[in-house]
Amino acid sequence: MRLAEHCYRSISAIRGPLVFVERVFSARIGETVTLVAPNGQLLEGEVLKIDTEQVLIQVFGETYGLDLEKTTVTFHDSVKRAPLSRQCLGRIFNGSFKPLDDAPMYIPESWGAVSGAPINPVAREFPHEMIETGISAIDGLNSLIKGQKLPIFSCAGLPAQELVAQILSSARLPGEGDFVVVFVALGLSYHEYSFFRETLEKMPSRFVAFFNLAGEAVVERLLAPRLGLTIAEDLAFNHGMDVLAIISDMTNYCDALREISTSREELPGRRGYPGYMYSDLASLYERAGRLHGRAGSVTMLPVLTMPEDDITHPIPDLTGYVTEGQIVLSREMQQKGIFPPIDVLPCLSRLMQSGIGEGLTRADHRQVANLLYQTYAKGRELRKLEAVVGKEGLLEEDRVVLTMADEFEKRFVHQGKARRDIFQTLDLGRELLKEYKVELT
Amino acid sequence: MKGIVTSISGATVSVDLRGLQLYDRVYVGHARLSGEVVHLEKERTTVQVFEDTHGLSIGEPAVGARAPLTAVLGPGLLGGVYDGLQRPLQGLQRHSGDFIHSAGEIQSLDLQRSWDFIPHMQAGEQVNIGDQIGLVREGHLDHPIFAAFAGEIEQIAQGQVCLAEPLARLKDGQQLFGWQNWPVRRPRSQGRKCPAEKPLITGQRCIDFLFPMVKGGVAVIPGGFGTGKTVLEQTIAKFADSDVVIYVGCGERGNEMAGLLTEFGELRDANDRPLLERTIIIANTSNMPVAARESSIFTAVTMAEYYRDMGYDVLFLADSLSRWAEALREISSALEEIPGEEGYPTYLGSRLAKFIERAGVVKLASGKTGSLSMILAISPPGADFSEPVTQACLRAAGAFYMLDTGLAQSRHFPAINWTQSYSLLGSKAADYFRQQVDKRWTDLQRCCQDIMQQEDALREVVEVVGMEGLQDRDRLLMSVADRVRRDFLCQNSFSADAFSSPQQTVQLITSILDRYDHALKRLEDGVLLSDILQGESDAAG
Ligand SMILES: Nc1ncnc2c1ncn2[C@@H]1O[C@H](COP(=O)(O)OP(=O)(O)OP(=O)(O)O)[C@@H](O)[C@H]1O
Ligand SMILES: [Mg+2]
């Protein structure tokens, strides 16, 4: 421990969001610093690297006004922390935790290190209850389970933000419990920002939101999800709440990671993204979970845009390697006017089995889901065949399956702005199966 | 040996210690974070730290241990859950709570636990290094204790002992303990290597029947995300006929480890003992420190060799080796080494080959044989198998189970692609199956492969002319191939079908092939194909 804060005016270089300071006495890795620009502007930063000559600092915010001569750097002898309190509920912040809602900052009960700490695997409880998103294609066929991380893979131009807004306002627990949403938006356009502000306005105050806009500092995009998750962990594990953390858009996060890695002159990996991107994404996604003997849970729903609609691009690929399934949006569904435009074939919730069925959702859930999926998958196969041999070339029973696939998209996947609870979803599924004489056993 | 920290970049720390060797352990900072030497230069020594370095400052103390990272080996490992440095996770939890904070040293083995020791030698007898002086019962296994020194036994324990006490004392004052330290990066080369002969029965029809694995062999399972690597590894860990199973969660998910722990705690093996009792779990999840992930597979394989050297069949499963390779890459790039393909260090291939060489069958001095088999999952980026890690593994492995994204998406599990997978270990295993299970084993296998190949060719035809354009014989074949796929190759891990004994496997394929023969005959006799297929589906449904 040092006794006083140290202040320096010995910056040797500024490179993008990175600042090099010389002759610093005992800086610590991860220590926070404050920079004061000549015009009085305040910026925060964090120590990344230390050697005998200099200290490397990553600045959260725009480094425009900084210079070498007059800018001062103060070292605070503590790591970056987030202010914790239940008072955060109903509040809206920017990417460095400044209120955007005109209310004053609350007085924290305690502070939590934003980098978090890994959950000890033996302390983890296996996820086993469902969160109802109100979306049939998710709840019915790819259920989201408390403690799971389930990403949404979108394509540029698809209404992912509308889907997020719908889930934001309609997600809840099917049973008892204290449910809140932590929403972190990264690299939003102003238009999207106002859209989300409107959505939040209409919601009861069971949320905390963080907004980083497209014009704002890139480094903040790395910070904001960590602030959000630190808050989420506190609400979940210290206050016993079931927290759904929605982070959108992770593609902006990854691009920020790449940008900063490049300015650090690190060796680029696939498509220029840093080699440690898997570990970095895991340090966020793995913060979802439940703990033995404690109420509360952190469930994560990250949203990302697949560059060039390519699911093998490093961003969706590495995300898929960390998360527990995926919800995939497709252009084809969008063109058919289906909302949400979810293509259920490549979707999967890997933890679904442990969260549904008798006593959790409904006894017939598993069977309804399997039959719908199988029949629809068969219908999609037949569509390909139909394109070759024509409808006439198909057997009568196959034509029925084809119609059913169409109806499934139109009535089950498509739901517009309506919210469906899990029973409505399952009843609708049964109705479809019955109409097309697919038998439940 | 003491010095100070001179520079820090993430988990890579330089210290001014001299005279250390590569891989010696170093403790840095007031918090005594542990690490190992990865680079030596005249003026400075670079240390890769196994823990989070937040808060570390230059000028803080650094202490060199003059000894490499070791694993503690002795009775009590079975049933344990460790991190990549062999720190027991339950111990860590008691120490730092539900979240992992740097914890310093925690005993890997409980040296106070009491064991019932049965001596095999007496005072006055001459003992040589490696002689068995006695044994303790560890779960379902006899755990022999071998002498680390030679000499005349002056005194030897009997009955309740704890590992902290010596089990025997020699005349010259040396003490023989029931545990030992072993450097994890050095193979334990006891006994003589010999060729693998016995099959490793996994209970997966597709593996046992088409691409068998042998005890002492190495198989790799590459597959894109969600293709079923983890489920397959865990299912094999449950049912494989091995005495000891070592499961390494290497840079993967925390929830998966939680699931494994719960399930293995509840499930029972063939002898009605909790599955956990034959299992050691090493969990270094993706969010735990990267350097410890790199060392985790070495810590784990050292424990595996330890049990192999007692004459047991040990199965080592790692999920996923790609995460290990990525950890290696991260460390290498922090050291600013010249990168090879895709940024991996140029020594990736040799390092991997050396690791895989630790598998095999050994003939021990005691006359027993022990085996160490490896089944390694690989996660190729973008499911592209031409990448360096898959390729390096392919060169070293004897069996290759390629998981297919298409099959997984159509929910055909295990999604093992039957045209691209192979096993070079098959012939020995086939001898065994022919003698022990069914003398037609190889014929049936060939027949089955034949059908699948023909189907493959026919599919291309169908895409052009449609099903209607096929001859009846071919349509029949398509329908049989469909049955082989659905009823034989598919195996749901979450059902009673998760394990299939070789006998059950043979029965199932025989019944499918017999029915095919029968149908072919009827077709020749002029029965309509539609009637035959109708009868088939009635029989199946
Ligand atoms: N043998 C099986 N039987 C039934 N379902 C399976 C089987 N194998 C895989 N699955 C299904 O596929 C999902 C994904 O499998 P798994 O988690 O093993 O994939 P993975 O290859 O390990 O993916 P990742 O690389 O992302 O870790 C499982 O959650 C399960 O739903
Ligand atoms: Mg896996």
Side-chain angles (χ1 to χ4, degrees):
Chain A
M1 265 313 153
R2 293 196 300 262
L3 294 176
E5 292 183 335
H6 285 222
C7 185
Y8 295 87
R9 194 173 284 177
S10 50
I11 297 181
S12 60
I14 302 173
R15 203 157 67 210
L18 304 177
V19 170
F20 297 80
V21 190
E22 287 179 330
R23 300 184 301 278
V24 177
F25 176 69
S26 82
R28 295 174 188 285
I29 289 287
E31 177 171 2
T32 52
V33 301
T34 315
L35 298 100
V36 184
N39 66 2
Q41 186 202 0
L42 277 179
L43 286 170
E44 265 195 56
E46 186 181 60
V47 174
L48 287 187
K49 184 174 170 179
I50 315 169
D51 60 31
T52 28
E53 284 91 49
Q54 57 186 10
V55 169
L56 167 59
I57 291 162
Q58 166 171 304
V59 180
F60 304 119
E62 290 299 352
T63 45
Y64 288 152
L66 300 183
D67 70 349
L68 299 186
E69 289 77 32
K70 299 207 196 67
T71 302
T72 62
V73 187
T74 309
F75 289 75
H76 296 295
D77 200 21
S78 78
V79 296
K80 180 83 186 148
R81 289 168 202 274
L84 305 177
S85 164
R86 293 175 70 114
Q87 305 281 324
C88 65
L89 290 178
R91 301 295 309 272
I92 300 172
F93 304 94
N94 75 0
S96 44
F97 230 120
K98 306 270 166 351
L100 289 175
D101 52 6
D102 300 326
M105 187 62 204
Y106 54 82
I107 298 166
E109 288 158 22
S110 59
W111 294 81
V114 300
S115 59
I119 298 178
N120 187 325
V122 299
R124 271 187 194 270
E125 184 172 325
F126 195 73
H128 57 81
E129 287 159 290
M130 196 182 99
I131 289 178
E132 194 179 270
T133 62
I135 310 283
S136 293
I138 299 178
D139 299 344
L141 297 184
N142 301 285
S143 321
L144 175 66
I145 310 299
K146 270 189 208 170
Q148 182 178 19
K149 39 203 178 294
L150 185 64
I152 296 178
F153 289 1
S154 178
C155 304
L158 295 188
Q161 304 300 356
E162 283 78 0
L163 176 57
V164 166
Q166 190 156 340
I167 295 176
L168 251 181
S169 47
S170 64
R172 64 173 174 78
L173 302 174
E176 304 278 289
D178 198 354
F179 181 73
V180 296
V181 185
V182 170
F183 179 50
V184 183
L186 306 170
L188 284 189
S189 67
Y190 189 79
H191 175 74
E192 291 168 320
Y193 171 62
S194 11
F195 167 67
F196 279 120
R197 282 298 297 259
E198 243 170 70
T199 311
L200 292 175
E201 225 115 274
K202 286 183 228 130
M203 286 171 57
S205 61
R206 306 304 291 172
F207 68 85
V208 190
F210 295 87
F211 286 106
N212 161 276
L213 276 86
E216 287 175 331
V218 168
V219 184
E220 251 179 34
R221 270 165 227 165
L222 304 187
L223 182 61
R226 293 184 163 83
L227 293 174
L229 289 170
T230 307
I231 295 287
E233 280 171 351
D234 178 57
L235 294 176
F237 303 128
N238 297 328
H239 299 285
M241 300 180 191
D242 288 307
V243 184
L244 174 62
I246 303 179
I247 310 179
S248 174
D249 180 322
M250 283 302 291
T251 301
N252 292 329
Y253 175 90
C254 294
D255 285 346
L257 200 67
R258 174 170 68 176
E259 195 175 323
I260 286 151
S261 167
T262 313
S263 46
R264 289 187 69 179
E265 296 179 347
E266 289 168 339
L267 197 70
R270 269 205 310 156
R271 304 227 188 172
Y273 294 93
Y276 51 78
M277 191 155 90
Y278 172 81
S279 299
D280 187 277
L281 286 175
S283 76
L284 294 180
Y285 296 148
E286 278 291 319
R287 289 173 84 167
R290 307 182 65 158
L291 298 174
H292 283 301
R294 294 206 212 187
S297 60
V298 176
T299 309
M300 223 183 287
L301 202 82
V303 181
L304 60 85
T305 307
M306 298 182 279
E308 296 150 40
D309 300 5
D310 177 8
I311 200 167
T312 67
H313 183 281
I315 297 174
D317 190 51
L318 294 179
T319 296
Y321 270 128
V322 187
T323 52
E324 289 140 343
Q326 66 280 337
I327 305 292
V328 184
L329 308 190
S330 101
R331 268 185 215 291
E332 199 189 322
M333 298 296 151
Q334 161 82 350
Q335 276 152 10
K336 289 189 180 173
I338 291 165
F339 182 88
I342 296 175
D343 179 2
V344 301
L345 286 193
C347 293
L348 179 69
S349 162
R350 302 196 196 178
L351 302 183
M352 173 169 176
Q353 296 308 328
S354 59
I356 61 165
E358 181 133 38
L360 290 160
T361 51
R362 209 167 75 182
D364 60 350
H365 192 157
R366 200 159 291 147
Q367 216 198 354
V368 170
N370 286 343
L371 288 176
L372 284 175
Y373 185 90
Q374 279 164 17
T375 331
Y376 178 63
K378 179 145 186 239
R380 287 275 294 262
E381 273 297 307
L382 289 168
R383 259 188 217 163
K384 281 191 238 155
L385 194 61
E386 186 198 5
V388 183
V389 299
K391 209 165 198 132
E392 306 70 40
L394 294 181
L395 302 172
E396 173 55 29
E397 66 213 54
D398 287 350
R399 265 180 261 164
V400 174
V401 177
L402 260 184
T403 327
M404 156 123 186
D406 292 336
E407 289 295 299
F408 171 79
E409 288 170 358
K410 263 187 243 151
R411 285 158 55 191
F412 191 87
V413 180
H414 178 72
Q415 65 182 81
K417 296 275 167 237
R419 178 184 202 293
R420 294 194 198 130
D421 69 26
I422 181 64
F423 303 113
Q424 290 170 313
T425 292
L426 292 176
D427 288 344
L428 183 58
R430 285 188 84 112
E431 194 181 298
L432 270 167
L433 291 169
K434 198 163 155 219
E435 269 173 48
Y436 291 91
K437 311 226 163 30
V438 182
E439 270 174 56
L440 284 103
T441 47
Chain B
M1 200 192 309
K2 287 197 170 145
I4 57 164
V5 172
T6 56
S7 82
I8 316 161
S9 171
T12 312
V13 173
S14 296
V15 298
D16 66 354
L17 295 169
R18 290 204 206 163
L20 287 174
Q21 298 181 1
L22 214 53
Y23 296 124
D24 273 357
R25 271 192 111 161
V26 175
Y27 299 90
V28 299
H30 298 300
R32 285 182 61 83
L33 307 176
S34 74
E36 64 181 358
V37 176
V38 285
H39 248 206
L40 283 170
E41 282 167 52
K42 263 224 178 80
E43 292 307 318
R44 67 173 186 185
T45 300
T46 312
V47 175
Q48 190 65 33
V49 178
F50 294 128
E51 296 174 74
D52 185 7
T53 53
H54 270 82
L56 188 64
S57 179
I58 58 173
E60 288 195 32
V63 183
R66 282 196 194 281
L69 177 64
T70 54
V72 181
L73 304 172
L77 292 174
L78 293 181
V81 185
Y82 299 96
D83 75 356
L85 305 177
Q86 208 199 15
R87 292 185 297 203
L89 288 176
Q90 274 101 354
L92 267 181
Q93 190 184 18
R94 278 193 296 277
H95 182 281
S96 73
D98 291 345
F99 292 84
I100 298 177
H101 300 281
S102 65
E105 302 283 281
I106 290 188
Q107 254 183 12
S108 300
L109 262 192
D110 180 1
L111 298 182
Q112 304 310 320
R113 179 169 162 191
S114 128
W115 297 91
D116 191 16
F117 178 65
I118 305 161
H120 283 186
M121 298 186 96
Q122 300 172 357
E125 271 188 275
Q126 190 68 28
V127 65
N128 287 319
I129 293 178
D131 283 355
Q132 185 179 345
I133 60 166
L135 66 81
V136 299
R137 281 292 290 177
E138 182 183 11
H140 65 304
L141 296 183
D142 281 340
H143 188 124
I145 309 287
F146 299 105
F149 305 107
E152 186 185 324
I153 296 178
E154 190 178 63
Q155 194 188 21
I156 188 160
Q158 177 158 28
Q160 293 301 310
V161 292
C162 76
L163 295 178
E165 302 290 327
L167 294 176
R169 218 178 35 240
L170 303 183
K171 259 254 164 62
D172 61 5
Q174 304 239 55
Q175 296 177 328
L176 301 181
F177 282 89
W179 62 278
Q180 56 180 286
N181 274 311
W182 189 270
V184 299
R185 294 183 193 276
R186 176 138 48 91
R188 291 169 60 87
S189 51
Q190 293 188 1
R192 187 162 46 76
K193 277 221 167 178
C194 46
E197 312 213 301
K198 279 187 290 178
L200 177 81
I201 294 162
T202 64
Q204 296 293 309
R205 287 187 287 269
C206 186
I207 294 180
D208 293 347
F209 187 69
L210 291 182
F211 314 109
M213 168 72 178
V214 290
K215 293 202 169 100
V218 178
V220 293
I221 311 180
F225 68 77
T227 50
K229 298 179 292 295
T230 306
V231 173
L232 188 56
E233 292 247 348
Q234 295 194 354
T235 312
I236 294 175
K238 271 180 223 163
F239 298 115
D241 66 330
S242 281
D243 302 311
V244 173
V245 172
I246 315 264
Y247 189 97
V248 196
C250 179
E252 291 285 317
R253 302 172 182 83
N255 280 335
E256 283 172 357
M257 300 317 295
L260 187 74
L261 281 171
T262 327
E263 219 185 343
F264 276 48
E266 288 161 2
L267 286 176
R268 308 211 145 229
D269 67 7
N271 306 316
D272 201 32
R273 287 178 165 282
L275 214 46
L276 216 46
E277 267 189 26
R278 71 164 198 181
T279 314
I280 303 175
I281 296 175
I282 290 86
N284 219 88
T285 53
S286 53
N287 55 342
M288 284 159 77
V290 164
R293 189 199 298 168
E294 197 280 325
S295 65
S296 66
I297 63 166
F298 295 102
T299 306
V301 80
T302 304
M303 292 192 252
E305 286 174 335
Y306 177 64
Y307 282 97
R308 176 204 61 191
D309 287 347
M310 297 173 198
Y312 291 117
D313 291 321
V314 182
L315 173 59
F316 175 100
L317 302 131
D319 183 17
S320 141
L321 215 60
S322 297
R323 307 298 166 224
W324 168 81
E326 286 164 7
L328 197 70
R329 178 171 68 184
E330 269 181 54
I331 295 167
S332 161
S333 90
L335 295 175
E336 296 176 356
E337 293 174 337
I338 295 170
E341 220 180 329
E342 303 226 356
Y344 289 104
T346 45
Y347 49 79
L348 169 72
S350 59
R351 185 78 62 100
L352 203 65
K354 224 153 99 190
F355 168 75
I356 287 181
E357 263 307 291
R358 293 176 78 164
V361 180
V362 294
K363 186 109 189 154
L364 302 161
S366 60
K368 290 184 188 158
T369 40
S371 71
L372 200 177
S373 323
M374 290 185 180
I375 301 185
L376 311 167
I378 304 173
S379 324
D384 171 5
F385 298 106
S386 65
E387 57 93 37
V389 183
T390 313
Q391 290 305 316
C393 282
L394 267 185
R395 285 195 290 276
F400 173 67
Y401 307 138
M402 189 195 115
L403 301 188
D404 189 304
T405 308
L407 287 176
Q409 223 176 71
S410 60
R411 315 233 159 147
H412 172 116
F413 290 117
I416 300 175
N417 178 308
W418 51 86
T419 46
Q420 310 228 21
S421 301
Y422 60 77
S423 167
L424 306 173
L425 315 165
S427 64
K428 287 282 190 231
D431 291 344
Y432 173 92
F433 286 125
R434 263 198 315 272
Q435 283 154 23
Q436 306 291 324
V437 185
D438 194 313
K439 56 181 186 309
R440 291 171 304 164
W441 184 276
T442 331
D443 301 331
L444 292 168
Q445 195 189 9
R446 204 159 300 137
C447 190
C448 173
Q449 268 163 339
D450 217 43
I451 291 174
M452 298 318 283
Q453 262 165 25
Q454 289 187 44
E455 187 215 22
D456 226 35
L458 286 175
R459 265 175 184 264
E460 287 174 20
V461 180
V462 170
E463 270 170 30
V464 186
V465 300
M467 249 335 212
E468 299 295 325
L470 288 188
Q471 295 191 332
D472 282 355
R473 260 188 91 90
D474 292 341
R475 284 182 61 186
L476 180 61
L477 185 123
M478 293 285 282
S479 99
V480 172
D482 195 48
R483 279 208 62 194
V484 172
R485 260 186 293 129
R486 267 183 312 144
D487 299 347
F488 186 74
L489 296 176
C490 275
Q491 221 174 325
N492 188 332
S493 284
F494 306 105
S495 71
D497 191 32
F499 175 82
S500 170
S501 71
Q503 285 76 11
Q504 290 168 321
T505 298
V506 149
Q507 248 170 35
L508 186 54
I509 194 72
T510 312
S511 93
I512 295 176
L513 295 178
D514 283 353
R515 292 242 290 277
Y516 177 41
D517 281 344
H518 185 61
L520 267 178
K521 278 207 194 77
R522 289 179 64 198
L523 197 61
E524 275 161 24
D525 293 347
V527 182
L528 281 179
L529 179 68
S530 53
D531 290 345
I532 296 176
L533 292 182
Q534 187 58 46
E536 275 289 302
S537 73
D538 288 350

